[in-house]
């Protein structure tokens, strides 16, 4: 599952969905460990490793019983996985419409879904019948532009439309990326260079980019060339030149964080915000907005369609509240300085060794998975590695850090980590 579409209840907080004003619009009526963005009226939820669904009022409408659960599609069906590892498609009444015989399945779009069975991919209709005779080594679901990416058994990649007409076939050695949810363009890679493909299946740029990161939330996409980052649009136009050392994805509000060389700045690097016209935005406005959100929420994800996943701050427990002067005993007064110190955050150092993640992607990972705006500080960063300073409330245990890293790294699939208290 895409980690961008989920949020976990950490630090004893409760998960919810908020609007751009910071107001809660969806909150589970039951305790959950993980909450996902709503899709066609329902949200996936997870508790103790089991998945179910809530409606937009927060009521649990499909119980926690699945090994995995995915968003509901436009046709009202969702792919779920049973304990035996096989999945099928259920309706909103929790009845299987397509039998659970598949190893994986995409969302339905235009009446089709890509499914995997016995090591081969094919496409099916809403009723589970095969939509085409061909099978593939790999196949993705259809994008909103009506194209789907596939890979033949001989290794070649291509694109086809909803009539199963082949619109593009790439040469051997080229690797084609799947369409990201919400995007109508994709990319391919060959000989360490990348190029864009548009919504009609046509290659619209040359192989002149070291890397392109396609955005699901913006019409502008990051590209890297000669060690510097810029932005390219859906038509292949370089609308913001590659002049930045580091860049973030544009938000739904057309704001991105960038870093640029400046001879008078500390370490010769200055950090600021730009809009989609490459105009500098006042940092104070962005920081003030973030501060307002973080007064109530310990973590807030990126906004999508006006909604963001959030973790409500837990009420301070009685054991962590400072006692009043009337409650202080004579013995306590002899340890006043020690008690004051015990109420301060305890600092920990965290090191993450990623299997394959570039520096720019690590910045996004920290912000989205570990709450980069919530106190975690980056001490050192390079490709495939980051060192963090992690303040931890004395109310919490060091294993809360371990649990956060466990889920963020997908149990070691993304990378390994070390953490310890700083004496």
């Amino acid at each position: 599952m895409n980690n961008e579409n989920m949020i976990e209840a950490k630090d004893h907080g409760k998960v919810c969905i908020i609007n751009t004003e910071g107001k809660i619009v969806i909150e589970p009526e039951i305790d959950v460990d993980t909450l996902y963005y709503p899709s066609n009226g329902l949200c996936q939820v997870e508790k103790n490793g089991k998945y179910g669904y809530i409606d937009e009022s927060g009521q649990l409408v499909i119980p926690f019983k699945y090994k995995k659960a995915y968003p509901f599609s436009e046709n009202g069906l969702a792919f779920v996985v049973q304990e035996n590892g096989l999945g099928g498609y259920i309706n909103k009444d929790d009845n299987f419409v397509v039998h659970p015989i598949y190893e994986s399945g995409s969302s339905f779009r235009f009446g089709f879904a890509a499914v995997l069975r016995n090591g081969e991919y094919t496409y099916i209709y809403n009723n589970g019948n095969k939509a085409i005779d061909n099978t593939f080594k790999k196949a993705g679901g259809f994008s909103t532009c009506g194209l789907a990416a596939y890979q033949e058994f001989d290794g070649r990649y291509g694109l086809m439309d909803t009539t199963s007409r082949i619109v593009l076939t790439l040469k051997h050695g080229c690797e084609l990326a799947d369409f990201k949810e919400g995007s109508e363009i994709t990319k391919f890679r060959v000989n360490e260079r990348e190029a864009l493909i548009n919504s009609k299946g046509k290659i619209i740029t040359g192989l002149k980019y070291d890397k392109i990161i396609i955005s699901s939330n913006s019409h502008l996409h990051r590209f890297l060339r000669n060690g510097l980052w810029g932005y390219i649009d859906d038509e292949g136009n370089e609308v913001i030149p590659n002049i930045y050392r580091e860049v973030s994805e544009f938000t739904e509000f057309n704001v991105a964080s960038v870093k640029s060389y400046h001879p008078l700045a500390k370490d010769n690097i200055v950090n600021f915000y730009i809009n989609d016209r490459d105009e500098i935005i006042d940092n104070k406005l962005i920081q003030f907005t973030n501060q307002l959100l973080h007064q109530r929420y310990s973590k807030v994800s990126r906004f999508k369609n006006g909604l963001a996943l959030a973790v409500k701050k837990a009420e301070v427990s009685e054991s962590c509240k400072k006692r009043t002067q009337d409650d202080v005993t004579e013995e306590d007064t002899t340890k006043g300085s020690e008690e004051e110190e015990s109420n301060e955050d305890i600092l920990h150092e965290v090191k993450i060794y990623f299997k394959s993640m570039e520096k720019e992607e690590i910045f996004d990972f920290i912000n989205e998975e570990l709450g980069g705006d919530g106190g975690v500080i980056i001490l050192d960063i390079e490709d495939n590695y980051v060192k963090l300073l992690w303040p931890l409330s004395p109310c919490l245990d060091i294993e809360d850090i371990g649990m956060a890293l466990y889920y963020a790294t997908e149990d070691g699939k993304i990378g390994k980590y070390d953490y310890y208290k700083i004496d």
Side-chain angles (χ1 to χ4, degrees):
M1 294 187 188
N2 191 336
N3 287 341
E4 294 180 356
N5 294 323
M6 58 177 272
I7 198 164
E8 294 164 344
K10 298 179 181 179
D11 299 336
H12 310 294
K14 292 189 175 182
V15 291
C16 59
I17 296 175
I18 62 174
N19 61 19
T20 55
E21 297 177 352
K23 296 179 180 179
I24 296 174
V25 294
I26 300 177
E27 184 172 12
E29 293 291 329
I30 36 84
D31 286 335
V32 304
D33 296 330
T34 310
L35 174 67
Y36 292 74
Y37 277 101
S39 178
N40 294 291
L42 297 181
C43 308
Q44 306 124 271
V45 286
E46 177 266 333
K47 179 71 175 177
N48 297 327
K50 298 289 187 180
Y51 288 80
Y53 295 86
I54 61 170
D55 61 19
E56 293 182 348
S57 70
Q59 296 291 328
L60 186 68
V61 293
I62 296 178
F64 298 107
K65 66 178 185 178
Y66 295 110
K67 187 175 182 179
K68 291 287 184 182
Y70 294 85
F72 272 88
S73 303
E74 59 192 16
N75 65 350
L77 300 182
F79 189 80
V80 295
V81 180
Q82 297 187 310
E83 282 303 310
N84 64 2
L86 297 179
Y89 292 88
I90 60 170
N91 59 22
K92 293 183 179 180
D93 294 323
D94 195 22
N95 297 318
F96 275 102
V97 176
V98 177
H99 296 300
I101 58 175
Y102 299 106
E103 297 154 45
S104 70
S106 73
S107 294
F108 274 95
R109 185 169 280 126
F110 302 109
F112 305 100
V115 291
L116 172 65
R117 188 181 187 189
N118 299 326
E120 295 183 339
Y121 282 87
T122 190
Y123 290 87
I124 61 172
Y125 292 118
N126 298 343
N127 59 7
N129 292 335
K130 286 185 67 173
I132 63 174
D133 293 328
N134 292 11
T135 58
F136 305 94
K137 184 178 180 180
K138 292 180 181 178
F142 279 93
S143 70
T144 55
C145 68
L147 297 181
Y150 65 87
Q151 184 183 21
E152 299 279 9
F153 287 101
D154 65 3
R156 288 183 302 168
Y157 287 85
L159 292 172
M160 68 177 180
D161 64 18
T162 54
T163 68
S164 70
R165 180 178 65 91
I166 305 302
V167 298
L168 176 69
T169 300
L170 296 174
K171 296 179 180 180
H172 284 285
C174 296
E175 184 177 356
L176 178 65
D178 281 334
F179 285 92
K180 282 191 174 182
E181 183 67 31
S183 177
E184 294 193 348
I185 65 170
T186 188
K187 65 177 183 177
F188 75 97
R189 184 174 184 85
V190 62
N191 297 328
E192 305 301 320
R193 307 292 283 177
E194 296 185 348
L196 277 184
I197 298 173
N198 70 8
S199 59
K200 297 180 180 179
K202 296 188 178 297
I203 300 171
I204 56 175
T205 69
L207 282 162
K208 55 184 179 179
Y209 301 104
D210 300 321
K211 189 174 186 64
I212 302 172
I213 304 177
I214 294 176
S215 172
S216 300
N217 309 309
S218 171
H219 67 288
L220 296 184
H221 317 280
R222 292 166 282 179
F223 74 85
L224 175 67
R225 185 174 58 223
N226 299 327
L228 294 174
W229 290 88
Y231 293 88
I232 190 170
D233 67 13
D234 289 344
E235 306 301 323
N237 302 309
E238 295 181 11
V239 295
I240 297 178
N242 57 318
I243 58 175
Y244 297 112
R245 296 290 183 89
E246 297 171 9
V247 294
S248 74
E249 181 182 20
F250 269 94
T251 69
E252 188 173 88
F253 311 108
N254 292 326
V255 174
S257 174
V258 299
K259 290 187 178 181
S260 181
Y261 172 79
H262 193 292
L264 301 180
K266 183 179 179 181
D267 300 324
N268 300 128
I269 296 293
V270 61
N271 185 20
F272 53 94
Y273 294 93
I274 61 171
N275 60 22
D276 57 359
R277 297 183 298 278
D278 201 20
E279 299 168 338
I280 296 176
I281 297 174
D282 187 356
N283 288 20
K284 293 180 180 179
L285 179 61
I286 306 297
Q287 293 168 356
F288 178 70
T289 302
N290 290 337
Q291 287 174 1
L292 288 178
L293 288 175
H294 286 290
Q295 285 178 358
R296 280 191 71 186
Y297 308 104
S298 60
K299 184 176 181 181
V300 179
S301 71
R302 288 179 177 270
F303 280 89
K304 297 181 180 181
N305 300 317
L307 299 177
L309 301 166
V311 179
K312 286 176 24 178
K313 286 186 175 180
E315 294 293 329
V316 180
S317 66
E318 291 299 321
S319 63
C320 291
K321 290 181 180 178
K322 290 185 178 180
R323 290 176 289 173
T324 65
Q325 186 64 38
D326 292 337
D327 295 327
V328 178
T329 66
E330 182 176 350
E331 181 182 0
D332 290 332
T333 60
T334 65
K335 306 185 296 183
S337 60
E338 294 179 7
E339 181 166 308
E340 285 182 4
E341 184 177 354
S342 69
N343 285 320
E344 295 178 356
D345 285 346
I346 302 170
L347 299 180
H348 298 76
E349 187 171 288
V350 174
K351 297 178 181 179
I352 307 177
Y353 306 88
F354 297 93
K355 293 182 178 179
S356 179
M357 189 175 295
E358 295 184 357
K359 184 194 298 187
E360 181 57 32
E361 294 173 295
I362 295 175
F363 276 107
D364 290 344
F365 175 90
I366 298 302
N367 286 327
E368 296 168 5
E369 300 300 329
L370 299 178
D373 293 328
V376 176
I377 300 170
I378 297 175
L379 298 177
D380 188 23
I381 187 169
E382 57 188 56
D383 289 348
N384 301 321
Y385 171 78
V386 67
K387 180 166 72 172
L388 305 170
L389 182 67
W390 192 309
L392 189 68
S393 168
C395 306
L396 303 178
D397 188 86
I398 188 173
E399 289 309 313
D400 288 315
I401 295 179
M403 188 64 67
L405 293 169
Y406 172 87
Y407 284 111
T409 61
E410 298 181 18
D411 190 18
K413 292 180 181 179
I414 293 176
K416 298 181 179 179
Y417 53 85
D418 293 318
Y419 58 96
Y420 57 89
K421 178 183 174 183
I422 299 176
D423 295 323

